[in-house]
């Protein structure tokens, strides 16, 4: 396409840590004749650093938008979550007509916020619904039809329900697999054992607790079976909090790599840490993951890395069940006990054939990359 005489202005709206990374990866691939700005509805939006300008009010919720835990909405409301709504709606209302195109990446929250503030003809990337369980409800279909010009879905059956009511809905693949972040970190050079595990404890309030349980599980393994261990640290996570939870000591950074965060060690267990923007490097060098993350779990499974995940009474079981219907055997679910995690981990470390079987299931269930090309083509239409 020939370069336009003036730059077009796009606004990207995302509402979560993983959604920010997906959105930022798309923005980074846009041609120079598109000027993009980002509005991360929740959190600092660290994924957009050095990618594009961040606009809009900053908001923080106790749950950080994570709805997989029971009572998260109630806790958000109890801790003043409603106070974040008027500034967000006021900003979106002021931005009406200021951009040539508005792109929403995430779940229905962004769509509903735009609908209520007069935005129309949205490009919506639904990275929330899997299509393996519940489809769009009648109110969701109505809202999408009113607000969206094009919707990219994660499955054909989701897209069909929208096409049926006259929406331009497409399933071009899983864009999560196009937007796995990679950074300046050589994970393979740090390998010394036959197998490796990446820890993905998440990016929210329960991260330190999840990490401590993962470390306790690793300590149940006999020394001869212990793998190399990597940790992807989300931008909002305090490493000192992780160390405090586990009794591990933080060592000095020994490299000039920008994603290197040093190590946590107690002399027998060593965990190599890297920023979340190098998660792809860690996954490429690992055989499996211990994961309490959202988007990152999907990406790991899609790369053929079986996951072990803890389920506990605080989880919102409906959402967890929906995800499990998609993941199938590729994600092993265990109780929140170090011994149970250790048993599952030992089984996958000792049985390569089983690990490879689950890896194939994950790749088949999640699908490969390629969707981003369809998304970019649509964004560059004038």
């Amino acid at each position: 396409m020939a370069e336009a005489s003036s730059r077009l202005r796009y606004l990207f709206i995302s509402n979560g840590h993983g959604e920010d990374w997906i959105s930022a990866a798309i923005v980074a691939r846009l041609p120079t004749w598109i000027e993009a700005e980002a509005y991360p509805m929740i959190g600092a939006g660290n994924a957009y650093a050095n990618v594009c300008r961040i606009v809009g009010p900053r908001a923080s919720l106790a749950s950080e938008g994570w709805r997989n835990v029971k009572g998260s909405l109630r806790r958000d409301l109890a801790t003043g979550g409603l106070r974040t709504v008027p500034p967000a709606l006021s900003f979106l209302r002021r931005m009406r007509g200021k951009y040539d195109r508005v792109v929403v990446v995430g779940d229905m929250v962004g769509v509903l916020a735009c609908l209520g503030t007069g935005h129309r003809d949205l490009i919506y990337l639904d990275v929330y619904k899997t299509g393996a369980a519940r489809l769009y409800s009648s109110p969701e279909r109505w809202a999408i039809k009113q607000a969206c010009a094009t919707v990219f879905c994660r499955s054909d059956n989701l897209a069909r329900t929208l096409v049926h009511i006259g929406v331009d809905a497409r399933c071009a693949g899983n864009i999560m697999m196009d937007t796995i972040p990679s950074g300046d970190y050589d994970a393979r050079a740090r390998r010394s054992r036959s197998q490796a595990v990446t820890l993905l404890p998440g990016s929210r309030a329960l991260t330190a607790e999840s990490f401590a349980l993962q470390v306790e599980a690793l300590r149940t393994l006999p020394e001869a079976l212990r793998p190399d261990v990597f940790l992807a640290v989300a931008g909002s996570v305090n490493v000192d909090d992780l160390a405090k939870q586990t009794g591990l000591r933080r060592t000095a950074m020994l490299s000039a790599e920008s994603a290197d965060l040093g190590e946590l060690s107690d002399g027998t267990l060593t965990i190599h840490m890297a920023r979340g923007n190098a998660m792809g490097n860690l996954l490429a060098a690992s055989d499996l993951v211990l994961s309490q993350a959202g988007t990152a779990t999907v990406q790991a499974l899609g790369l053929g890395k079986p996951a072990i995940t803890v389920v506990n009474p605080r989880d919102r079981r409906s959402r967890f069940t929906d995800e499990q219907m998609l993941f199938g055997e590729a994600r092993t679910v265990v109780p929140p006990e170090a011994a149970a995690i250790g048993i599952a981990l030992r089984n996958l470390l000792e049985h390569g054939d089983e690990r490879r079987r689950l890896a194939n299931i994950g790749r088949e269930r999640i699908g490969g990359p390629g969707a981003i090309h369809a998304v970019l083509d649509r964004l560059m239409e004038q």
Side-chain angles (χ1 to χ4, degrees), residues 15 29 38 50 55 107 109 142 164 184 206 224 232 250 269 274 313 362:
N15 63 317
R29 291 168 170 81
N50 303 315
V55 297
D107 58 18
V109 170
W142 178 86
H164 183 70
D184 179 23
L206 300 179
R250 187 174 184 179
L269 176 65

Side-chain angles (χ1 to χ4, degrees), residues 49-60:
N50 303 315
V51 175
C52 68
R53 191 165 80 94
I54 294 177
V55 297
R58 303 277 53 78
S60 177

Side-chain angles (χ1 to χ4, degrees), residues 26-49:
I26 296 169
V27 172
R29 291 168 170 81
L30 290 174
T32 56
W33 49 266
I34 295 176
E35 179 185 0
E37 295 179 336
Y39 173 35
M41 300 183 75
I42 301 296
N46 293 322
Y48 293 107

